[in-house]
Amino acid sequence: MTISLPLDAVSGESSTRRALSDISLAVAKSKKIIVVTGAGISCSCGIPDFRSSDGLYSLVKERYPDIVLKGRDLFDASLFRNSATTSVFYTFISQLKRSIDAATPAPTHRFIQTLDAKHKLVRSYTQNIDGLEERIGLRGSSSQQAKTNGKKKSKLKVKEVRNVQLHGDIHRVRCTLCSAEMPCTEEHLHSFENGKAPNCPECTSRSEARVARSARALKIGTLRPAIVLYDEPHPLGDDIGMIQTLDIARNPDMLIIMGTSLKVHGLKKLVKDFAKVVHATGTGTTPSGTPKVQKSWQGKVIFVNKTPPGSEWSDIIDCHVVGETDVWVDKVLEDWKKIRPSDWEIQQTLDHTDESNGFKAVKETTTKTKGKAAPKWNMNVENVPPEDPFFSQPASPSKKPVSVPSSPSKRRQSVSHYSDSESSPRKRRDIARIADGMDRLDMSDRCKLFADATNAAKNAGGDDLLMGELQPPKAKVRRVSASVVSRECKPRPRNVAKSKVEMWVEIPKKPSIHSRP
C-alpha cells in the first residue's frame, strides 16, 4: 500500500516528519541506489514537461491546432509521413533546443551527481532529452565518449555510462538513411527553424566520391534530431537492455523515481523489474538456514512527484512524496548531513605558508594520470635493481658508466646480478651480516682451524706433518700424543699427497708377578 507524504506538511504532523526522516535515513544508509527520472525534474530549469496543463503537449496543440489533433501526435514516429507535420516538428524542436541550451542544472540533477560521488548510485535512467546530467559529470548513453570506435556498429561502454538516456539526446542529430550520428550545430538549427532537414554529410561525401570515379551517385539522407519518438525503436535498445540486466544482477537496495507520471509502457516495465529486486533486498536465508530479517531502511521504492501514481502501483511504490523534487532533495541532503556527518568530511592537509602565520588547512587535490604508472627505475637498463633503503654503497668516482646491451638476450660484460655489489637486496644484507660477525670473532686460535690431525694416532713422539711436508722423526718416546697441532697456518696444497711414516717404538718387557727371584 502506497503511503502519501506531503512535503508542505513537514512542520505539521509528527508522523509525516518522522516518515520523511526515515526516508532520508534510508538514502544515507543505502549502498546501491537506482534513480529513474522524468521531465518533472527539469521544470525548475525553465524546460516544460509533457503532460501538465502548461506542458509541451498543450503548447503544441495551442500553436498548431490545424496540424495536430493532440499534442502527443507531434512526438509520434508517424509524423514523418506528412511533410506538413514534419516541418512543424523541426520548427518546434529547434525552439525547444534553444531553450534547453539556456537552462542550467537543477538541485535534483546535482543530487544524482552527489549519489554518484558518494559511490551510492548504481545508475541513473532518464526519459529526458535535455542532457543536463551530462553537464554535471554524469556521462550519458548518447555521448560519443561512451561508445566504441570502429568500422562495425558502435556499442556502449557499460562502465563509462552513468546516465541511460531512454529517449535519446536533443543535442545530437542522426541520419535517416545511414544512421550516422553527430553533434547538432548552429547550422543544423538554422535549417530546422525553417522547417527543413539538412543533408547528411556522410552520405554526401560517399556520393561525391562515387561521382568522381564516374560511378552512379548514391541517395543522400537527411538529418533529424536524435530523439526517440513513440512507436519507434531505440537505436541502442540492445545495449540498454544489457545494462539493465547487469544492474538487476547487482541487487540494488533502493529505487528513487522522480518527476515522471509512469505512463510510458517501456518505462513501466523497467520500474517494475527494478522494484521487484529492491523489495527482495535483505530477505532470504543465511548459509546456516536461518531466515534473514529485513532492516527498516532496506528495500524502499520512493516516488517523488506532484501527481500521484496510478492504482496499478499501489503494491509496488512504498512512499509517494507529494511536492517538488528540488525541495525534497534539499531536505534529504540536510537530514543526511545531520544523521551521518562523517560522510561529508573532507580530507585536508596542512600547508605551511609562514612561520608567523603557522599552518593553513587546505583541501587536498590530486591529479590522476591516465595510462600506465611511471616505472620506478630506468627500463633501458636490465639487471640493475632499484635503490635499497636498507643497504647502500658509496658510488665510486672512477666507475665507468655501464653500456646498454644491444639485445635483451645479451648480458653486459661489466655488470652481473650475481656479483656481491649488484646482487639482490637480501643477498647484500646477508653478506653484510656475515662480515659483521667475522669482525667480532676471536681469531687468537685461528691456527687450530687449519691443523691437520688426520692419522694423528699413528704418529708417535709428536711427529708432525706440516701442511703436507715430510718432517724427520724425533726421538722415540714411550707415549703417543693424542693430537698434533700445526705450528704454521699455511693452506695445504691440494696436489700434494700425504706421505706415510713408519715408526718403531721399543717397549721393555716387565717381569712377571708369578716368577720367582
Side-chain angles (χ1 to χ4, degrees), residues 35 37-47 100 103-117 121 124 126 128-138 163 258 325-326 329-330 333:
V35 178
T37 58
I41 68 171
S42 300
C43 291
S44 60
C45 305
I47 304 173
I100 290 175
T104 55
T108 305
H109 298 97
R110 303 189 186 279
F111 171 74
I112 301 173
Q113 192 275 335
T114 301
L115 294 178
D116 186 56
L121 181 69
S124 171
T126 183
N128 298 342
I129 61 175
D130 49 33
L132 293 178
E133 295 85 359
E134 186 88 17
R135 299 188 193 179
I136 58 173
L138 295 177
N163 181 53
M258 296 184 289
T325 58
D326 292 343
V329 298
D330 289 340
L333 293 177

Side-chain angles (χ1 to χ4, degrees), residues 78-357:
S78 60
L79 65 89
F80 292 108
R81 301 173 184 173
N82 189 346
S83 60
T85 56
T86 303
S87 178
V88 170
F89 171 73
Y90 288 148
T91 303
F92 180 79
I93 288 297
S94 64
Q95 297 173 358
L96 179 62
K97 169 73 165 56
R98 294 195 182 277
S99 63
I100 290 175
D101 291 339
T104 55
T108 305
H109 298 97
R110 303 189 186 279
F111 171 74
I112 301 173
Q113 192 275 335
T114 301
L115 294 178
D116 186 56
K118 299 296 182 182
H119 305 288
K120 293 178 176 291
L121 181 69
V122 174
R123 217 176 306 270
S124 171
Y125 293 78
T126 183
Q127 295 177 280
N128 298 342
I129 61 175
D130 49 33
L132 293 178
E133 295 85 359
E134 186 88 17
R135 299 188 193 179
I136 58 173
L138 295 177
R139 180 162 293 174
S141 56
S142 299
S143 176
Q144 189 63 33
Q145 290 78 8
K147 299 177 182 178
T148 57
N149 297 323
K151 296 182 180 180
K152 298 182 179 180
K153 182 181 179 181
S154 60
K155 294 184 178 182
L156 289 179
K157 301 177 183 177
V158 178
K159 294 183 179 180
E160 297 288 338
V161 177
R162 304 303 302 149
N163 181 53
V164 179
Q165 295 169 292
L166 299 174
H167 293 168
D169 190 355
I170 199 173
H171 298 285
R172 301 185 65 83
V173 291
R174 182 175 69 249
C175 178
T176 57
L177 185 62
C178 67
S179 300
E181 279 196 11
M182 58 200 71
C184 183
T185 62
E186 186 65 28
E187 181 182 356
H188 299 153
L189 280 180
H190 184 69
S191 299
F192 288 148
E193 286 176 351
N194 296 328
K196 299 179 180 179
N199 292 332
C200 173
E202 297 288 339
C203 295
T204 303
S205 61
R206 284 195 295 267
S207 179
E208 292 176 352
R210 286 178 57 87
V211 172
R213 59 177 185 266
S214 300
R216 179 177 56 86
L218 296 176
K219 184 179 179 181
I220 298 177
T222 57
L223 298 178
R224 51 157 288 186
I227 60 177
V228 181
L229 303 177
Y230 288 106
D231 299 329
E232 185 179 35
H234 199 296
L236 300 174
D238 294 339
D239 295 331
I240 292 176
M242 180 187 65
I243 292 176
Q244 180 188 355
T245 303
L246 293 175
D247 292 344
I248 289 176
R250 295 179 63 180
N251 296 323
D253 53 10
M254 190 174 190
L255 175 62
I256 301 177
I257 311 164
M258 296 184 289
T260 176
S261 58
L262 298 175
K263 295 292 181 63
V264 180
H265 175 72
L267 183 72
K268 290 165 63 174
K269 185 178 183 305
L270 181 140
V271 170
K272 290 178 180 180
D273 291 342
F274 279 129
K276 182 179 180 181
V277 179
V278 169
H279 284 154
T281 303
T283 60
T285 57
T286 60
S288 60
T290 58
K292 294 181 180 179
V293 178
Q294 190 179 43
K295 298 180 181 179
S296 59
W297 53 270
Q298 286 182 326
K300 298 292 184 182
V301 178
I302 311 300
F303 180 73
V304 185
N305 200 34
K306 288 182 178 180
T307 57
S311 58
E312 62 176 314
W313 301 99
S314 59
D315 296 332
I316 299 174
I317 296 176
D318 299 318
C319 298
H320 171 216
V321 180
V322 184
E324 299 284 348
T325 58
D326 292 343
V327 178
W328 179 74
V329 298
D330 289 340
K331 183 186 183 316
V332 170
L333 293 177
E334 182 182 356
D335 294 342
W336 187 355
K337 293 178 181 179
K338 293 179 182 179
I339 297 171
R340 298 171 67 93
S342 59
D343 293 347
W344 301 89
E345 292 179 355
I346 300 176
Q347 185 177 2
Q348 296 179 343
T349 58
L350 296 178
D351 184 17
H352 181 65
T353 56
D354 191 3
E355 293 183 359
S356 59
N357 296 334

Side-chain angles (χ1 to χ4, degrees), residues 330-461:
D330 289 340
K331 183 186 183 316
V332 170
L333 293 177
E334 182 182 356
D335 294 342
W336 187 355
K337 293 178 181 179
K338 293 179 182 179
I339 297 171
R340 298 171 67 93
S342 59
D343 293 347
W344 301 89
E345 292 179 355
I346 300 176
Q347 185 177 2
Q348 296 179 343
T349 58
L350 296 178
D351 184 17
H352 181 65
T353 56
D354 191 3
E355 293 183 359
S356 59
N357 296 334
F359 292 91
K360 179 180 68 175
V362 296
K363 184 178 180 180
E364 183 179 5
T365 57
T366 58
T367 57
K368 297 182 178 179
T369 58
K370 295 183 179 179
K372 297 181 179 179
K376 296 182 179 179
W377 58 82
N378 189 1
M379 300 297 292
N380 296 326
V381 181
E382 61 177 13
N383 293 335
V384 177
E387 295 181 2
D388 186 15
F390 301 99
F391 182 80
S392 61
Q393 293 181 348
S396 175
S398 62
K399 187 177 180 179
K400 296 181 180 180
V402 179
S403 61
V404 179
S406 59
S407 174
S409 61
K410 296 182 179 180
R411 187 179 301 280
R412 294 184 301 275
Q413 299 296 328
S414 59
V415 176
S416 173
H417 63 278
Y418 294 104
S419 62
D420 294 342
S421 59
E422 296 183 353
S423 58
S424 64
R426 181 175 180 180
K427 183 177 179 181
R428 295 200 302 270
R429 288 194 294 269
D430 293 343
I431 293 174
R433 191 183 305 111
I434 294 172
D436 183 61
M438 292 295 293
D439 293 340
R440 294 195 298 268
L441 185 64
D442 186 8
M443 302 297 291
S444 60
D445 296 333
R446 59 184 179 274
C447 292
K448 295 181 179 180
L449 298 175
F450 304 98
D452 185 10
T454 307
N455 297 328
K458 298 180 180 180
N459 301 332

Side-chain angles (χ1 to χ4, degrees), residues 2-13:
T2 304
I3 302 175
S4 297
L5 303 173
L7 278 175
D8 53 6
V10 172
S11 58
E13 299 180 2

